[in-house]
Amino acid sequence: MRRILAALACSILIASTAGRPTPAADYPSKPIRLVLPQPAGGAVDLIARSLGDRLSEQMRQPVIIENQPGANGGLAASQVTRATPDGHTLFMAVDTNLVVNPSLYPNLSYDPFRDFIPISIIAKVYLVLVASSQVQASSVKELIAYAKANPGKLNYASIGLGTQAHLGMELFKLMTKTDIAQVSYRGTAPAMTDIAAAVVEVMFTGPPSAMSLAAGGKVKLLAVASPQRSKLMPNVPTVQEAGVPGYELAGWFGLLAPAKTPQSVVDRLSDEVKKAGADPRLKDRLTEQGLEVFGSSSDEMLAIMRSDTKKWSEVIAATGAKIPQ
């Protein structure tokens, strides 16, 4: 009878704990899934796979990358919000998923602050302001002067509503009081083709594409939108140095867990990301793509999410940018 009662108590205990988050002491107890809102092959995928290799090694569990593009990040986000909040299913987000989309899309299926707990900003990429070689300006000051003397004559390439290439240029226009027309493209490659051919005059883009075109004499590197000069382009001034005080433009990539994930698990993951970021294998792989390893704490990421949400919501309000319902 004692054995029967013991077995019954054990089965009741197992049933009562089913579906609950894994205790932090047992974490991770199975493979970790990183769910991405973008297809394979892009910067997010590179970061996720590079980080996944390091985390798998450090935490002694496989890290599985799942690409779930669609619905403005909603497919990936929704999948993570429905997961058990135990740290085994995580959201690998682009900053625009978190700090732009809520102001841009009226029917977004997720709330970055309600549905997730930030873990760490893994890496940042500061964008570069480039101009066609045909533009009559070789510096930011000259570009601003030309734009003011010729309102509406210059065009800039945007790679989608709400992207850094779009909102970053709108912020530049607001801060410099210039009129530069937007030309939308489906991606970076066609935009860079047209700026090389002088079909459009200016754009913000990532360091690798900017350096590649500059090496061929197709574009001028006017400035880097970072606080300090880039090690990849030490001779290129920052936008702030070049005459627009306070201007900064970076895309960043962060890791988040579902809401209600135990804080001890979030802290463990944040520490593991910092450890991975210090590994030269990760650092070198990302640096050669123009990315800067960041490795923030959960609190630091939350503060950046709040400040960037305020920044971009004000730009969106000022420009009237909105996706129709």
Side-chain angles (χ1 to χ4, degrees):
M1 178 62 71
R2 285 198 202 96
R3 289 177 183 172
I4 293 171
L5 289 173
L8 181 61
C10 184
S11 65
I12 292 171
L13 179 62
I14 290 171
S16 68
T17 58
R20 289 186 184 178
T22 302
D26 299 331
Y27 178 77
S29 60
K30 58 184 178 182
I32 298 170
R33 296 164 57 220
L34 299 188
V35 185
L36 280 56
Q38 293 193 347
V44 189
D45 193 64
L46 169 68
I47 294 168
R49 293 181 189 282
S50 301
L51 177 66
D53 289 345
R54 304 283 71 76
L55 292 182
S56 179
E57 186 177 289
Q58 293 166 197
M59 303 179 80
R60 299 172 185 259
Q61 282 287 353
V63 176
I64 301 164
I65 309 302
E66 295 186 10
N67 302 89
Q68 296 284 349
N72 310 305
L75 289 182
S78 296
Q79 188 174 130
V80 177
T81 58
R82 292 194 300 267
T84 302
D86 59 4
H88 290 98
T89 302
L90 306 174
F91 185 34
M92 180 71 165
V94 186
D95 60 338
T96 52
N97 300 138
L98 308 172
V99 302
V100 172
N101 285 1
S103 298
L104 201 60
Y105 296 92
N107 298 314
L108 202 64
S109 64
Y110 61 93
D111 183 311
F113 296 96
R114 180 196 66 207
D115 296 332
F116 298 101
I117 299 176
I119 294 169
S120 179
I121 292 177
I122 299 155
K124 282 188 172 186
V125 56
Y126 288 99
L127 274 65
V128 185
L129 179 60
V130 300
S132 162
S133 58
Q134 304 301 311
V135 172
Q136 298 175 32
S138 296
S139 68
V140 172
K141 285 183 178 179
E142 289 179 4
L143 179 70
I144 293 170
Y146 183 84
K148 286 184 174 180
N150 301 274
K153 186 175 180 179
L154 290 176
N155 296 317
Y156 79 88
S158 163
I159 57 169
L161 198 63
T163 61
Q164 296 291 353
H166 166 230
L167 293 180
M169 185 59 79
E170 292 299 325
L171 176 62
F172 180 84
K173 288 164 57 179
L174 289 169
M175 293 179 69
T176 59
K177 296 179 172 60
T178 52
D179 179 8
I180 305 172
Q182 177 188 1
V183 178
S184 295
Y185 289 86
R186 291 182 178 272
T188 301
M192 295 305 291
T193 298
D194 273 7
I195 201 167
V199 175
V200 290
E201 286 79 26
V202 292
M203 76 175 293
F204 278 103
T205 190
S209 55
M211 293 170 64
S212 174
L213 285 174
K218 301 293 186 181
V219 302
K220 304 172 186 178
L221 303 180
L222 299 186
V224 182
S226 55
Q228 295 87 31
R229 294 195 181 197
S230 168
K231 292 179 181 178
L232 295 175
M233 296 166 280
N235 296 323
V236 178
T238 67
V239 177
Q240 298 186 47
E241 279 183 272
V244 189
Y247 187 90
E248 186 176 318
L249 180 63
W252 50 261
F253 310 88
L255 196 62
L256 304 97
K260 298 183 181 179
T261 298
Q263 189 61 47
S264 55
V265 171
V266 172
D267 292 341
R268 166 80 188 279
L269 282 163
S270 182
D271 289 343
E272 294 291 351
V273 170
K274 285 182 182 177
K275 182 179 176 182
D279 190 320
R281 290 172 293 178
L282 177 69
K283 236 175 193 177
D284 293 347
R285 192 172 181 190
L286 299 189
T287 299
E288 66 187 18
Q289 297 299 317
L291 295 157
E292 295 187 15
V293 176
F294 198 58
S296 74
S297 68
S298 176
D299 287 343
E300 287 170 336
M301 181 174 177
L302 180 60
I304 290 171
M305 284 173 61
R306 285 174 175 158
S307 64
D308 279 6
T309 296
K310 181 176 183 294
K311 171 183 176 179
W312 295 124
S313 66
E314 290 172 352
V315 173
I316 289 167
T319 59
K322 204 78 172 177
I323 300 294
Q325 294 190 30

